[in-house]
Amino acid sequence: MKSHLKIDVRAILMLLFGLVAVLAIMLQVQRMTPKPPPELAKLGSERIGVVDSTYINHPLRFAIKMPNRFWLLSVLTQDTVLNRLDSNQMLHDQIVWLLSSKRVEANDTLALCKVGGILLDREKSSTELAINYLAEIISKHEQPGVRVHVVQHVTSPAHQVLKGAYFMVNVPDVLGVTMPVRVVALLPRGERLYIIESKTTDAFYPVIREELQEIVQRFFPLPLLTN
């Protein structure tokens, strides 16, 4: 009788331990998940718009918040229909660019950033597409005797929730290129792929490196708007 009682107690203790572990994991995930910005409530009945330093797009289910007031946001299109990826065409040419942002200080433009999207085939991973996109940039900018410097090869994750992939390159400062440093993040969500592409100069990159990282981390997936 005592033996059976010990087995039951052990089983209960193991179940309790497992429950505590699951709760701890859930709390950790909740802490890591970025909270949607409070600007959502200020947008009112609009479905796409800019509130303070935050761009909100309910149809495409995301918001992105700039690191500070020095980033000036511009809506590029109100279109909510994305192109479906055609593997026979250049990825860059198929992206629907939704917004752009310019980092200004005094009379200088320190960086440019744009955000776009495309519809995916399920079998395409963000890492694979990032590799393809990197290859496109290299092909476009390399010339005989002039090489693209890959500062950071395609790496995952790029985002704490959406994961994805990112890379960084320094393209040749020729053919009118004024911002050779490129940081690109590809973030998948369902059949959509969001692309965040930032550009800056060699001189300004050390100054705003953390801001470029913040932009990717301040990308917030949104629930479906039903009304």
Side-chain angles (χ1 to χ4, degrees), residues 44-110:
S45 60
E46 298 294 323
R47 294 170 63 83
I48 299 174
V50 174
V51 179
D52 299 330
S53 59
T54 302
Y55 169 85
I56 302 164
N57 190 316
H58 280 294
L60 295 179
R61 301 173 62 186
F62 78 92
I64 188 165
K65 185 181 179 76
M66 295 295 108
N68 53 55
R69 62 183 177 84
F70 298 110
W71 286 89
L72 307 180
L73 278 164
S74 299
V75 178
L76 297 179
T77 180
Q78 295 284 342
D79 195 357
T80 59
V81 178
L82 301 178
N83 297 322
R84 184 160 298 275
L85 177 66
D86 182 347
S87 300
N88 296 317
Q89 298 183 31
M90 301 284 279
L91 173 59
H92 181 275
D93 296 339
Q94 301 177 70
I95 298 169
V96 176
W97 296 107
L98 304 165
L99 72 142
S100 65
S101 187
K102 178 169 65 174
R103 172 62 159 87
V104 296
E105 191 168 305
N107 295 321
D108 291 325
T109 297
L110 276 62

Side-chain angles (χ1 to χ4, degrees), residues 64-200:
I64 188 165
K65 185 181 179 76
M66 295 295 108
N68 53 55
R69 62 183 177 84
F70 298 110
W71 286 89
L72 307 180
L73 278 164
S74 299
V75 178
L76 297 179
T77 180
Q78 295 284 342
D79 195 357
T80 59
V81 178
L82 301 178
N83 297 322
R84 184 160 298 275
L85 177 66
D86 182 347
S87 300
N88 296 317
Q89 298 183 31
M90 301 284 279
L91 173 59
H92 181 275
D93 296 339
Q94 301 177 70
I95 298 169
V96 176
W97 296 107
L98 304 165
L99 72 142
S100 65
S101 187
K102 178 169 65 174
R103 172 62 159 87
V104 296
E105 191 168 305
N107 295 321
D108 291 325
T109 297
L110 276 62
L112 300 171
C113 178
K114 58 182 179 180
V115 181
I118 194 168
L119 294 179
L120 291 180
D121 294 324
R122 292 289 183 176
E123 63 270 15
K124 295 286 186 181
S125 71
S126 56
T127 298
E128 179 183 358
L129 290 169
I131 292 172
N132 292 343
Y133 200 20
L134 173 58
E136 289 181 10
I137 292 175
I138 293 173
S139 176
K140 178 179 178 181
H141 291 281
E142 279 198 341
Q143 302 176 35
V146 181
R147 302 296 302 274
V148 170
H149 174 48
V150 180
V151 181
Q152 173 64 63
H153 288 275
V154 173
T155 305
S156 296
H159 190 272
Q160 64 267 46
V161 175
L162 301 179
K163 305 309 179 186
Y166 72 99
F167 62 87
M168 177 179 171
V169 298
N170 195 315
V171 304
D173 190 7
V174 294
L175 298 178
V177 173
T178 58
M179 293 192 172
V181 179
R182 312 286 173 88
V183 183
V184 181
L186 289 81
L187 309 178
R189 189 189 188 196
E191 68 172 353
R192 295 189 185 98
L193 180 73
Y194 304 102
I195 300 93
I196 304 174
E197 182 170 338
S198 301
K199 302 179 181 180
T200 187

Side-chain angles (χ1 to χ4, degrees), residues 201-213:
T201 67
D202 292 303
F204 289 140
Y205 176 71
V207 178
I208 62 166
R209 175 178 55 196
E210 292 185 1
E211 292 183 23
L212 299 183
Q213 294 171 351

Side-chain angles (χ1 to χ4, degrees), residues 35-41 54 56 63-65 220 222:
K35 295 179 174 58
E39 288 81 3
L40 284 178
T54 302
I56 302 164
I64 188 165
K65 185 181 179 76
F220 304 96
L222 299 178

